[in-house]
PDB file of all heavy atoms in Angstrom:
ATOM      1  N   ILE Y 322    -116.195   2.130 -58.985  1.00 98.00           N
ATOM      2  CA  ILE Y 322    -115.323   1.037 -59.204  1.00 98.00           C
ATOM      3  C   ILE Y 322    -114.015   1.524 -59.808  1.00 98.00           C
ATOM      4  O   ILE Y 322    -112.967   1.006 -59.365  1.00 98.00           O
ATOM      5  CB  ILE Y 322    -115.925   0.017 -60.255  1.00 98.00           C
ATOM      6  CG1 ILE Y 322    -117.332  -0.453 -59.854  1.00 98.00           C
ATOM      7  CG2 ILE Y 322    -115.088  -1.219 -60.392  1.00 98.00           C
ATOM      8  CD1 ILE Y 322    -118.110  -1.113 -60.885  1.00 98.00           C
ATOM      9  N   LEU Y 323    -114.025   2.463 -60.705  1.00 98.00           N
ATOM     10  CA  LEU Y 323    -112.826   2.923 -61.356  1.00 98.00           C
ATOM     11  C   LEU Y 323    -111.921   3.619 -60.328  1.00 98.00           C
ATOM     12  O   LEU Y 323    -110.719   3.587 -60.376  1.00 98.00           O
ATOM     13  CB  LEU Y 323    -113.171   3.799 -62.550  1.00 98.00           C
ATOM     14  CG  LEU Y 323    -112.073   4.193 -63.508  1.00 98.00           C
ATOM     15  CD1 LEU Y 323    -111.341   2.923 -63.965  1.00 98.00           C
ATOM     16  CD2 LEU Y 323    -112.638   4.985 -64.752  1.00 98.00           C
ATOM     17  N   LYS Y 324    -112.621   4.437 -59.434  1.00 98.00           N
ATOM     18  CA  LYS Y 324    -111.806   5.275 -58.420  1.00 98.00           C
ATOM     19  C   LYS Y 324    -111.180   4.319 -57.565  1.00 98.00           C
ATOM     20  O   LYS Y 324    -109.969   4.437 -57.143  1.00 98.00           O
ATOM     21  CB  LYS Y 324    -112.868   6.160 -57.626  1.00 98.00           C
ATOM     22  CG  LYS Y 324    -112.205   7.104 -56.767  1.00 98.00           C
ATOM     23  CD  LYS Y 324    -113.126   8.264 -56.489  1.00 98.00           C
ATOM     24  CE  LYS Y 324    -112.532   9.345 -55.729  1.00 98.00           C
ATOM     25  NZ  LYS Y 324    -112.498   9.143 -54.321  1.00 98.00           N
ATOM     26  N   GLU Y 325    -111.945   3.219 -57.113  1.00 98.00           N
ATOM     27  CA  GLU Y 325    -111.251   2.192 -56.301  1.00 98.00           C
ATOM     28  C   GLU Y 325    -110.054   1.578 -56.973  1.00 98.00           C
ATOM     29  O   GLU Y 325    -108.934   1.349 -56.315  1.00 98.00           O
ATOM     30  CB  GLU Y 325    -112.346   1.113 -56.010  1.00 98.00           C
ATOM     31  CG  GLU Y 325    -112.028   0.005 -55.020  1.00 98.00           C
ATOM     32  CD  GLU Y 325    -111.856   0.605 -53.587  1.00 98.00           C
ATOM     33  OE1 GLU Y 325    -112.520   1.657 -53.324  1.00 98.00           O
ATOM     34  OE2 GLU Y 325    -111.169  -0.134 -52.734  1.00 98.00           O
ATOM     35  N   LEU Y 326    -110.228   1.239 -58.266  1.00 98.00           N
ATOM     36  CA  LEU Y 326    -109.071   0.690 -58.989  1.00 98.00           C
ATOM     37  C   LEU Y 326    -107.842   1.645 -58.979  1.00 98.00           C
ATOM     38  O   LEU Y 326    -106.755   1.247 -58.904  1.00 98.00           O
ATOM     39  CB  LEU Y 326    -109.516   0.334 -60.471  1.00 98.00           C
ATOM     40  CG  LEU Y 326    -110.520  -0.835 -60.670  1.00 98.00           C
ATOM     41  CD1 LEU Y 326    -111.009  -0.838 -62.126  1.00 98.00           C
ATOM     42  CD2 LEU Y 326    -109.843  -2.186 -60.376  1.00 98.00           C
ATOM     43  N   GLY Y 327    -108.211   2.978 -59.348  1.00 97.00           N
ATOM     44  CA  GLY Y 327    -107.183   3.992 -59.323  1.00 97.00           C
ATOM     45  C   GLY Y 327    -106.380   4.171 -58.025  1.00 97.00           C
ATOM     46  O   GLY Y 327    -105.229   4.473 -58.039  1.00 97.00           O
ATOM     47  N   GLU Y 328    -107.062   3.864 -56.856  1.00 97.00           N
ATOM     48  CA  GLU Y 328    -106.436   4.007 -55.633  1.00 97.00           C
ATOM     49  C   GLU Y 328    -105.540   2.730 -55.320  1.00 97.00           C
ATOM     50  O   GLU Y 328    -104.737   2.678 -54.438  1.00 97.00           O
ATOM     51  CB  GLU Y 328    -107.457   4.131 -54.596  1.00 97.00           C
ATOM     52  CG  GLU Y 328    -107.912   5.495 -54.514  1.00 97.00           C
ATOM     53  CD  GLU Y 328    -109.274   5.807 -53.856  1.00 97.00           C
ATOM     54  OE1 GLU Y 328    -109.636   4.840 -53.158  1.00 97.00           O
ATOM     55  OE2 GLU Y 328    -109.713   7.049 -53.905  1.00 97.00           O
ATOM     56  N   HIS Y 329    -105.732   1.671 -56.124  1.00 95.00           N
ATOM     57  CA  HIS Y 329    -104.857   0.533 -56.018  1.00 95.00           C
ATOM     58  C   HIS Y 329    -104.458   0.022 -57.372  1.00 95.00           C
ATOM     59  O   HIS Y 329    -104.864  -1.020 -57.835  1.00 95.00           O
ATOM     60  CB  HIS Y 329    -105.670  -0.681 -55.223  1.00 95.00           C
ATOM     61  CG  HIS Y 329    -106.203  -0.274 -53.909  1.00 95.00           C
ATOM     62  ND1 HIS Y 329    -107.540   0.256 -53.815  1.00 95.00           N
ATOM     63  CD2 HIS Y 329    -105.707  -0.118 -52.698  1.00 95.00           C
ATOM     64  CE1 HIS Y 329    -107.830   0.518 -52.560  1.00 95.00           C
ATOM     65  NE2 HIS Y 329    -106.742   0.233 -51.809  1.00 95.00           N
ATOM     66  N   LYS Y 330    -103.543   0.768 -57.958  1.00 93.00           N
ATOM     67  CA  LYS Y 330    -103.319   0.584 -59.378  1.00 93.00           C
ATOM     68  C   LYS Y 330    -102.559  -0.791 -59.706  1.00 93.00           C
ATOM     69  O   LYS Y 330    -102.651  -1.395 -60.648  1.00 93.00           O
ATOM     70  CB  LYS Y 330    -102.585   1.778 -59.935  1.00 93.00           C
ATOM     71  CG  LYS Y 330    -103.496   2.846 -60.360  1.00 93.00           C
ATOM     72  CD  LYS Y 330    -102.909   3.998 -61.116  1.00 93.00           C
ATOM     73  CE  LYS Y 330    -102.982   3.681 -62.574  1.00 93.00           C
ATOM     74  NZ  LYS Y 330    -102.647   4.917 -63.324  1.00 93.00           N
ATOM     75  N   ARG Y 331    -101.528  -1.087 -58.825  1.00 93.00           N
ATOM     76  CA  ARG Y 331    -100.808  -2.293 -58.967  1.00 93.00           C
ATOM     77  C   ARG Y 331    -100.188  -2.426 -60.301  1.00 93.00           C
ATOM     78  O   ARG Y 331    -100.230  -3.511 -61.016  1.00 93.00           O
ATOM     79  CB  ARG Y 331    -101.630  -3.515 -58.521  1.00 93.00           C
ATOM     80  CG  ARG Y 331    -102.075  -3.443 -57.171  1.00 93.00           C
ATOM     81  CD  ARG Y 331    -102.614  -4.872 -56.707  1.00 93.00           C
ATOM     82  NE  ARG Y 331    -103.229  -4.779 -55.489  1.00 93.00           N
ATOM     83  CZ  ARG Y 331    -104.584  -4.881 -55.363  1.00 93.00           C
ATOM     84  NH1 ARG Y 331    -105.392  -5.060 -56.363  1.00 93.00           N
ATOM     85  NH2 ARG Y 331    -105.237  -4.770 -54.190  1.00 93.00           N
ATOM     86  N   GLY Y 332     -99.783  -1.324 -61.016  1.00 94.00           N
ATOM     87  CA  GLY Y 332     -99.070  -1.420 -62.186  1.00 94.00           C
ATOM     88  C   GLY Y 332     -99.968  -1.509 -63.435  1.00 94.00           C
ATOM     89  O   GLY Y 332     -99.513  -1.629 -64.610  1.00 94.00           O
ATOM     90  N   ARG Y 333    -101.334  -1.493 -63.298  1.00 97.00           N
ATOM     91  CA  ARG Y 333    -102.192  -1.660 -64.250  1.00 97.00           C
ATOM     92  C   ARG Y 333    -102.492  -0.389 -64.941  1.00 97.00           C
ATOM     93  O   ARG Y 333    -102.477   0.734 -64.293  1.00 97.00           O
ATOM     94  CB  ARG Y 333    -103.552  -2.252 -63.939  1.00 97.00           C
ATOM     95  CG  ARG Y 333    -103.566  -3.705 -63.332  1.00 97.00           C
ATOM     96  CD  ARG Y 333    -104.860  -4.031 -62.735  1.00 97.00           C
ATOM     97  NE  ARG Y 333    -105.169  -3.232 -61.472  1.00 97.00           N
ATOM     98  CZ  ARG Y 333    -105.913  -3.661 -60.585  1.00 97.00           C
ATOM     99  NH1 ARG Y 333    -106.542  -4.796 -60.568  1.00 97.00           N
ATOM    100  NH2 ARG Y 333    -106.192  -2.912 -59.442  1.00 97.00           N
ATOM    101  N   VAL Y 334    -102.684  -0.358 -66.248  1.00 98.00           N
ATOM    102  CA  VAL Y 334    -103.028   0.894 -66.898  1.00 98.00           C
ATOM    103  C   VAL Y 334    -104.544   1.017 -66.917  1.00 98.00           C
ATOM    104  O   VAL Y 334    -105.278   0.028 -67.103  1.00 98.00           O
ATOM    105  CB  VAL Y 334    -102.616   0.765 -68.483  1.00 98.00           C
ATOM    106  CG1 VAL Y 334    -103.147   2.017 -69.305  1.00 98.00           C
ATOM    107  CG2 VAL Y 334    -101.079   0.538 -68.589  1.00 98.00           C
ATOM    108  N   LEU Y 335    -105.042   2.219 -66.464  1.00 98.00           N
ATOM    109  CA  LEU Y 335    -106.412   2.415 -66.272  1.00 98.00           C
ATOM    110  C   LEU Y 335    -106.909   3.437 -67.256  1.00 98.00           C
ATOM    111  O   LEU Y 335    -106.416   4.627 -67.359  1.00 98.00           O
ATOM    112  CB  LEU Y 335    -106.626   2.935 -64.889  1.00 98.00           C
ATOM    113  CG  LEU Y 335    -106.619   1.839 -63.732  1.00 98.00           C
ATOM    114  CD1 LEU Y 335    -107.138   2.621 -62.492  1.00 98.00           C
ATOM    115  CD2 LEU Y 335    -107.467   0.553 -64.029  1.00 98.00           C
ATOM    116  N   VAL Y 336    -108.045   3.158 -68.006  1.00 98.00           N
ATOM    117  CA  VAL Y 336    -108.597   4.090 -68.902  1.00 98.00           C
ATOM    118  C   VAL Y 336    -110.184   4.100 -68.635  1.00 98.00           C
ATOM    119  O   VAL Y 336    -110.742   3.084 -68.525  1.00 98.00           O
ATOM    120  CB  VAL Y 336    -108.465   3.523 -70.428  1.00 98.00           C
ATOM    121  CG1 VAL Y 336    -109.180   4.521 -71.403  1.00 98.00           C
ATOM    122  CG2 VAL Y 336    -106.972   3.529 -70.733  1.00 98.00           C
ATOM    123  N   GLY Y 337    -110.622   5.336 -68.410  1.00 98.00           N
ATOM    124  CA  GLY Y 337    -112.050   5.561 -68.185  1.00 98.00           C
ATOM    125  C   GLY Y 337    -112.753   6.185 -69.391  1.00 98.00           C
ATOM    126  O   GLY Y 337    -112.160   6.643 -70.313  1.00 98.00           O
ATOM    127  N   PHE Y 338    -114.084   6.206 -69.261  1.00 98.00           N
ATOM    128  CA  PHE Y 338    -114.869   6.986 -70.228  1.00 98.00           C
ATOM    129  C   PHE Y 338    -115.726   8.054 -69.597  1.00 98.00           C
ATOM    130  O   PHE Y 338    -116.132   7.721 -68.426  1.00 98.00           O
ATOM    131  CB  PHE Y 338    -115.775   5.907 -71.021  1.00 98.00           C
ATOM    132  CG  PHE Y 338    -115.190   5.435 -72.285  1.00 98.00           C
ATOM    133  CD1 PHE Y 338    -114.090   4.572 -72.233  1.00 98.00           C
ATOM    134  CD2 PHE Y 338    -115.803   5.832 -73.502  1.00 98.00           C
ATOM    135  CE1 PHE Y 338    -113.607   4.062 -73.505  1.00 98.00           C
ATOM    136  CE2 PHE Y 338    -115.186   5.271 -74.714  1.00 98.00           C
ATOM    137  CZ  PHE Y 338    -114.179   4.430 -74.645  1.00 98.00           C
ATOM    138  N   ALA Y 339    -115.862   9.024 -70.170  1.00 96.00           N
ATOM    139  CA  ALA Y 339    -116.767  10.085 -69.462  1.00 96.00           C
ATOM    140  C   ALA Y 339    -117.741  10.586 -70.540  1.00 96.00           C
ATOM    141  O   ALA Y 339    -117.346  11.171 -71.497  1.00 96.00           O
ATOM    142  CB  ALA Y 339    -115.865  11.351 -69.007  1.00 96.00           C
ATOM    143  N   ALA Y 340    -118.994  10.196 -70.347  1.00 92.00           N
ATOM    144  CA  ALA Y 340    -120.077  10.608 -71.208  1.00 92.00           C
ATOM    145  C   ALA Y 340    -120.770  11.861 -70.635  1.00 92.00           C
ATOM    146  O   ALA Y 340    -121.278  11.772 -69.543  1.00 92.00           O
ATOM    147  CB  ALA Y 340    -121.076   9.553 -71.363  1.00 92.00           C
ATOM    148  N   GLU Y 341    -120.634  12.977 -71.270  1.00 93.00           N
ATOM    149  CA  GLU Y 341    -121.198  14.152 -70.627  1.00 93.00           C
ATOM    150  C   GLU Y 341    -122.140  14.832 -71.612  1.00 93.00           C
ATOM    151  O   GLU Y 341    -122.122  14.605 -72.798  1.00 93.00           O
ATOM    152  CB  GLU Y 341    -120.034  15.233 -70.326  1.00 93.00           C
ATOM    153  CG  GLU Y 341    -118.904  14.562 -69.638  1.00 93.00           C
ATOM    154  CD  GLU Y 341    -119.270  14.313 -68.088  1.00 93.00           C
ATOM    155  OE1 GLU Y 341    -120.204  14.791 -67.571  1.00 93.00           O
ATOM    156  OE2 GLU Y 341    -118.323  13.630 -67.491  1.00 93.00           O
ATOM    157  N   THR Y 342    -123.024  15.629 -71.074  1.00 91.00           N
ATOM    158  CA  THR Y 342    -123.972  16.477 -71.868  1.00 91.00           C
ATOM    159  C   THR Y 342    -123.490  17.906 -72.033  1.00 91.00           C
ATOM    160  O   THR Y 342    -123.916  18.632 -72.870  1.00 91.00           O
ATOM    161  CB  THR Y 342    -125.410  16.519 -71.143  1.00 91.00           C
ATOM    162  OG1 THR Y 342    -125.214  16.989 -69.863  1.00 91.00           O
ATOM    163  CG2 THR Y 342    -126.027  15.162 -71.209  1.00 91.00           C
TER     164      THR Y 342
END
Side-chain angles (χ1 to χ4, degrees):
I322 308 167
L323 194 51
K324 190 158 185 276
E325 186 69 22
L326 290 168
E328 281 161 10
H329 307 92
K330 282 189 89 165
R331 299 196 190 104
R333 294 173 295 206
V334 175
L335 285 187
V336 176
F338 267 68
E341 309 290 348
T342 55

